[in-house]
Amino acid sequence: MPSANRVAALRRALPPVLVFAAAFCLYAATAAPGTLFGDPSEYQFIPAILGIAHPPGYAFYILLAKLWQTLVPLGTVAFRTNLLAAAAGAWVVTMAYLVVRDCGLRIRNCESGIAAGDAPTHVCHSPFAIRNLPPLFAALSIAVAPDLWQHAMHSNAHIVSAALAATHLWLLVRWWRTEQDRWLFAFAVTVGLAATHHPITLMGVPAYGLFILAVRPRILRQWRTLLALVACALVGLAPLLYYPLRSPTVPFGPTDMRTWDGFVRHVTARGLRVNLFHFGPADQLDRARVFWSLLRLQFPIPTLLLSGAGFVWLVRRAPKLALLSGAFLLGHLLFTLNTVQDVMAYLLLPFSAVAMLAGCGAMAGELRIANDEQRIASRHSQFLTRNSQVLTLLFIGLLLPWPTLRCAQNLARGISLRDFTAAEVWVDAVHARFDGQGARAVLVSDWEHLTPLWVHAFTQGETLAEEDLKPVYVTAASPWAESVWANIEVGPIYLPDYRPAVRDAGFRLLPDGDLYRVAPPPVTDVTPAHPLDVWADARVHILGCDLPSATVRAGEPLALVLYQSAPQPVADIWMPYAQLGPLEARWTTDSRLLTPYWLPGEVVAERYEIPVPFTLPPGDYPLRLGYADLSGGRASLPLSTGGTTVDLATVTVLPARDAPSHAVLERAVANFDNQVALTTARARAGWQTRQNTWDEPLAVRAGQPLHLTLTWRALASPRASQTIFIHLLDGWGQLVYGHDYTPLGGAAPTYLWFPKWLPGQTFTDPYRLTFPDVPPGTYWVEVGMYGMTSLQRLPVVDLTGNLAGDRVILGPVQVEAP
């Protein structure tokens, strides 16, 4: 008998071990090889030096990651910390498996008349293989969900939040199944640990409390049990001692956490709470639509249907577990969907619960068939074996292909970060540019570009010498322009990217490889790599260009830096344009230093991009440059070469990667920079509706909401974080109302330290707009995108590949008096 028990225990332990191993291998194989921009790098170097992270501090994560970095010496510190995220993601997947399996064991035991605390039985219902399919389905469903997968490929604290919450659910279900209080005490410890990690993990506490009271109402009178739970929770809170012990000598982070005010301020993220609860009751329907849009990206419709069926089944068969799952989902969704910071990271927790419910839905079908089978088998003794084999094949055929297909689809869309080295390339470029130069340069930078440098400095000893480069961190207290002015006499100043705030302060931003050099005007000390001596209408001198690469892939941009000068002031707005073979790129004036602001004789260097359409056949194409007088309405100015264009180079165009179908591009309302397509636009005011672009005005009373739903489709991996703008323009084209925000109300950034939108994904983006201060009249709605940091609008690319402006006019709106 002991031998039989060991075999049974091994059979129970082996599946979750295999699930964890398979998920970990998937995530590790697609993990980032090193650093990433922003917070992921902080989560790598802070544990390594035992520092304190940004609010709320993440004490549990720091200690866990430090232990992992010490015990798992694989590759660089950056890579091994990415593997911690893979392990945490695999833990979430395993917890999903165990929750569904324990639920099934409890219900099977109840149906067989076995007490909850007894050992699990396998004498009733389905064979072992079939019983493991529903929990396996739940595990695979969450394993290949893009949100969990994307967070399991790089260092971050949010995947650990999901692992803690999933552990909470499993320990409670285990306690419910066995009625052994050791699981409840273990749960209390993990809740304490979660409180030291991130407040989002505590959003499930009301659901946990309701579930515990429902399972054991008398627990409020069991003071010994309550005291034990409090003691266990206090043990879990022990990581909080790290802050006062480490803060006075911390190498990175706040040094005042030994004081009560400093401790509370950091742990409660007092300075970040302005981002919470941005939406009100009137927005809840739209927030639910946002959640549905994001949910559809995680799971196929059959899985979502099974999730709903699973909840209904639990209401009937295990109402206490239905209470736990329902309250857990509701609490997390009400909080998460009404915040505007890291929404996708917070949704990891409810997405995991949805997968668990889907597993319960699969189990409901399995148990129903198994019960019918037993009744039939009682009359047909040899039918059971044959039918069990058929059922096994049926479940494999109906359930497992869905997550398998989703896994293949995500891999095809490029969900992997294995080849994503942008931050590593950036670090190498900075060191190559400044090491050993003794220029005493200053890098005025945001958080995102500094953290990879800190990873290399703190964990690999690749520090920047003070005589070579001084990093300056831009904060709200020390903005971009002020930071530049404060260091203007230290040495040459550089920026990691284009910052209009510095340009607007009167400086010139000169492209310098991956950087921008800040210089006071007039600039005369820049030299193009490819000199030219061409005049546009004898007034603008084209001095030359830089072409970083003469090879480009269809669907991607071709970068071009132009050097121009005007000996005399130019009052009109003149702009260059480019031709690449049959294509023409007419750049807009958005985020440029326009000719009226040029100083006589100075050299103006501007970086331009030519979007190469997906449809351009591979081959060699001439790149030509021309000039236009936008104010005077002259489309082509005469050049001193005798024509209207001058040849710059020959560009080789390579085939596109995973180009969208022509039908997708043809049906789109607008194609923004070959990155994102606006596939549909629906407007509603009262009973009136309009779609895409319209000519008949949509009547809206002042103060009446205009509901606008935009549907976006990712055409390629976005290259930056984009902001959506929705503007109301008057008849003169002047802005009278503007709504600018991250897509889906902040819920789904296109790029957050790495590309978040995957090619082929579709996002429903609803807006509720009111115009209480807009005078009655006819206005036009314009929609577009611009870079969150550069503020430069994405150009609209038409079907022929030419640029067609930087916005799309949807149609007129007639604002009426209330």
Side-chain angles (χ1 to χ4, degrees):
M1 185 63 66
S3 176
N5 288 339
R6 284 196 295 270
V7 171
L10 180 62
R11 291 183 68 191
R12 291 193 300 270
L14 186 59
V17 170
L18 293 177
V19 165
F20 179 90
F24 178 77
C25 289
L26 175 65
Y27 300 148
T30 55
T35 60
L36 295 175
F37 292 115
D39 287 3
S41 288
E42 181 195 15
Y43 294 130
Q44 293 169 345
F45 78 81
I46 285 291
I49 63 174
L50 288 177
I52 298 177
H54 68 270
Y58 305 97
F60 174 71
Y61 173 84
I62 292 171
L63 298 176
L64 174 67
K66 180 62 176 179
L67 180 64
W68 177 275
Q69 291 171 347
T70 304
L71 299 179
V72 186
L74 296 176
T76 63
V77 168
F79 176 68
R80 75 182 69 157
T81 316
N82 292 339
L83 292 183
L84 172 60
W91 184 265
V92 175
V93 173
T94 308
M95 291 299 100
Y97 176 92
L98 291 174
V99 165
V100 176
R101 189 179 73 171
D102 276 4
C103 174
L105 289 173
R106 169 65 186 262
I107 292 175
R108 285 187 175 90
N109 285 350
C110 290
E111 291 183 350
S112 303
I114 299 175
D118 292 346
T121 180
H122 302 302
V123 297
C124 62
H125 303 309
S126 310
F128 181 80
I130 294 182
R131 285 198 307 271
N132 276 276
L133 283 174
L136 182 61
F137 176 72
L140 291 178
S141 295
I142 189 60
V144 300
D147 195 26
L148 185 83
W149 194 340
Q150 287 181 314
H151 282 85
M153 295 186 297
H154 67 89
S155 305
N156 68 99
H158 300 294
I159 192 70
V160 176
S161 299
L164 285 166
T167 304
H168 296 160
L169 293 174
W170 174 63
L171 289 173
L172 286 176
V173 171
R174 187 79 168 179
W175 170 68
W176 168 70
R177 182 178 76 79
T178 64
E179 295 186 358
Q180 297 176 3
D181 282 352
R182 56 176 177 162
W183 300 108
L184 190 60
F185 297 148
F187 159 79
V189 173
T190 60
V191 168
L193 291 175
T196 72
H197 176 69
H198 195 284
I200 189 64
T201 59
L202 303 181
M203 291 300 106
V205 167
Y208 305 154
L210 290 174
F211 177 73
I212 292 171
L213 288 175
V215 172
R216 189 185 294 178
R218 65 182 185 279
I219 196 171
L220 294 178
R221 300 192 299 272
Q222 298 174 340
W223 62 271
R224 288 190 178 88
T225 301
L226 293 177
L227 287 177
L229 289 174
V230 171
C232 289
L234 291 175
V235 170
L237 291 175
L240 289 178
L241 296 174
Y242 173 77
Y243 296 136
L245 293 175
R246 184 61 172 161
S247 181
T249 58
V250 68
F252 193 101
T255 58
D256 62 345
M257 292 191 70
R258 184 168 284 185
T259 67
W260 178 249
D261 183 68
F263 180 89
V264 172
R265 183 184 66 251
H266 201 77
V267 170
T268 61
R270 189 182 301 165
L272 299 179
R273 282 181 284 170
V274 294
N275 294 314
L276 302 183
F277 303 108
H278 179 81
F279 301 99
D283 301 303
Q284 295 312 298
L285 180 60
D286 283 343
R287 302 314 294 160
R289 295 175 66 192
V290 165
F291 176 66
W292 175 249
S293 177
L294 298 176
L295 193 63
R296 285 287 312 275
L297 297 178
Q298 312 305 315
F299 308 106
I301 288 295
T303 301
L304 296 178
L305 292 176
L306 279 174
S307 180
F311 181 76
V312 173
W313 179 68
L314 289 178
V315 170
R316 297 180 56 192
R317 304 291 294 277
K320 296 169 185 175
L321 200 56
L323 174 65
L324 173 63
S325 58
F328 180 89
L329 275 171
L330 183 62
H332 275 284
L333 291 179
L334 285 177
F335 174 84
T336 300
L337 292 178
N338 290 285
T339 64
V340 295
Q341 184 184 33
D342 288 337
V343 169
M344 291 301 292
Y346 297 163
L347 284 176
L348 288 170
L349 287 72
F351 285 158
S352 302
V354 169
M356 295 173 188
L357 287 174
C360 291
M363 183 181 299
E366 178 254 316
L367 285 177
R368 177 62 181 269
I369 296 175
N371 288 334
D372 292 343
E373 180 186 85
Q374 282 196 331
R375 286 193 293 270
I376 296 174
S378 63
R379 297 189 297 271
H380 304 278
S381 59
Q382 295 184 355
F383 185 78
L384 178 59
T385 302
R386 293 194 304 271
N387 205 29
S388 296
Q389 297 170 355
V390 172
L391 284 173
T392 301
L393 294 175
L394 179 64
F395 268 85
I396 292 175
L398 292 181
L399 296 182
L400 297 188
W402 292 109
T404 304
L405 289 173
R406 182 54 62 96
C407 178
Q409 184 183 47
N410 289 338
L411 287 173
R413 287 173 169 172
I415 198 173
S416 173
L417 290 178
R418 182 176 55 191
D419 300 321
F420 188 74
T421 58
E424 294 291 336
V425 170
W426 153 257
V427 172
D428 292 342
V430 170
H431 281 279
R433 176 66 178 80
F434 298 105
D435 282 354
Q437 299 297 311
R440 305 195 69 84
V442 177
L443 176 63
V444 177
S445 178
D446 53 2
W447 169 262
E448 283 73 15
H449 288 86
L450 287 179
T451 50
L453 293 171
W454 289 333
V455 171
H456 281 253
F458 288 125
T459 70
Q460 296 175 224
E462 299 175 7
T463 58
L464 291 162
E466 187 175 349
E467 63 270 16
D468 293 331
L469 183 67
K470 171 191 173 183
V472 172
Y473 177 28
V474 174
T475 65
S478 180
W480 288 94
E482 285 80 351
S483 297
V484 169
W485 280 114
N487 293 276
I488 196 68
E489 296 182 358
V490 176
I493 298 178
Y494 294 83
L495 307 179
D497 50 18
Y498 192 87
R499 293 288 169 167
V502 178
R503 179 205 62 198
D504 294 343
F507 293 99
R508 301 297 188 249
L509 304 183
L510 308 176
D512 189 332
D514 293 331
L515 304 167
Y516 281 87
R517 180 164 66 91
V518 180
V523 174
T524 58
D525 61 341
V526 290
T527 304
H530 303 282
L532 291 171
D533 184 13
V534 179
W535 289 81
D537 203 19
R539 297 185 64 186
V540 170
H541 193 189
I542 305 170
L543 302 172
C545 69
D546 294 341
L547 190 64
S549 175
T551 301
V552 66
R553 192 173 294 277
E556 299 178 0
L558 177 69
L560 177 68
V561 178
L562 295 179
Y563 296 80
Q564 311 143 88
S565 181
Q568 300 298 325
V570 179
D572 295 329
I573 297 177
W574 288 15
M575 283 287 295
Y577 64 90
Q579 295 175 348
L580 181 63
L583 308 176
E584 187 168 83
R586 294 269 176 176
W587 294 301
T588 65
T589 59
D590 179 60
S591 292
R592 312 280 186 195
L593 184 65
L594 302 180
T595 47
Y597 300 98
W598 294 6
L599 297 180
E602 77 167 325
V603 179
V604 176
E606 288 274 1
R607 187 177 189 272
Y608 300 86
E609 288 187 346
I610 304 170
V612 181
F614 294 103
T615 54
L616 185 64
D620 294 333
Y621 296 91
L623 176 63
R624 302 184 182 93
L625 181 71
Y627 245 85
D629 177 3
L630 301 188
S631 300
R634 293 184 291 169
S636 298
L637 297 176
L639 302 183
S640 58
T641 54
T644 57
T645 61
V646 59
D647 288 343
L648 298 181
T650 298
V651 174
T652 300
V653 176
L654 302 177
R657 289 194 186 97
D658 303 321
S661 67
H662 183 74
V664 169
L665 299 175
E666 190 175 33
R667 289 195 299 264
V669 178
N671 168 8
F672 290 98
D673 199 29
N674 295 321
Q675 297 186 63
V676 179
L678 176 61
T679 58
T680 60
R682 294 186 177 90
R684 176 178 63 84
W687 296 102
Q688 309 167 81
T689 61
R690 302 289 187 273
Q691 182 161 327
N692 297 339
T693 57
W694 62 87
D695 297 320
E696 182 182 357
L698 184 66
V700 182
R701 293 191 308 276
Q704 179 189 15
L706 169 67
H707 297 275
L708 181 65
T709 301
L710 307 174
T711 304
W712 307 101
R713 180 185 177 93
L715 301 176
S717 295
R719 299 187 295 274
S721 184
Q722 307 297 341
T723 297
I724 308 296
F725 67 84
I726 303 171
H727 293 164
L728 205 62
L729 307 178
D730 62 16
W732 298 96
Q734 299 299 309
L735 177 69
V736 297
Y737 171 88
H739 181 91
D740 297 32
Y741 220 73
T742 311
L744 281 69
T750 60
Y751 188 109
L752 184 60
W753 306 314
F754 64 91
K756 288 298 183 76
W757 287 17
L758 298 174
Q761 286 184 330
T762 299
F763 298 81
T764 301
D765 193 7
Y767 295 88
R768 180 179 176 272
L769 310 172
T770 57
F771 317 117
D773 300 322
V774 175
T778 301
Y779 302 89
W780 280 261
V781 179
E782 71 168 3
V783 170
M785 287 183 163
Y786 61 82
M788 184 176 292
T789 58
S790 70
L791 303 184
Q792 192 164 351
R793 291 187 178 187
L794 270 62
V796 176
V797 183
D798 64 21
L799 283 175
T800 62
N802 298 318
L803 298 191
D806 55 19
R807 61 179 180 172
V808 56
I809 301 294
L810 295 182
V813 170
Q814 181 69 39
V815 178
E816 301 174 345

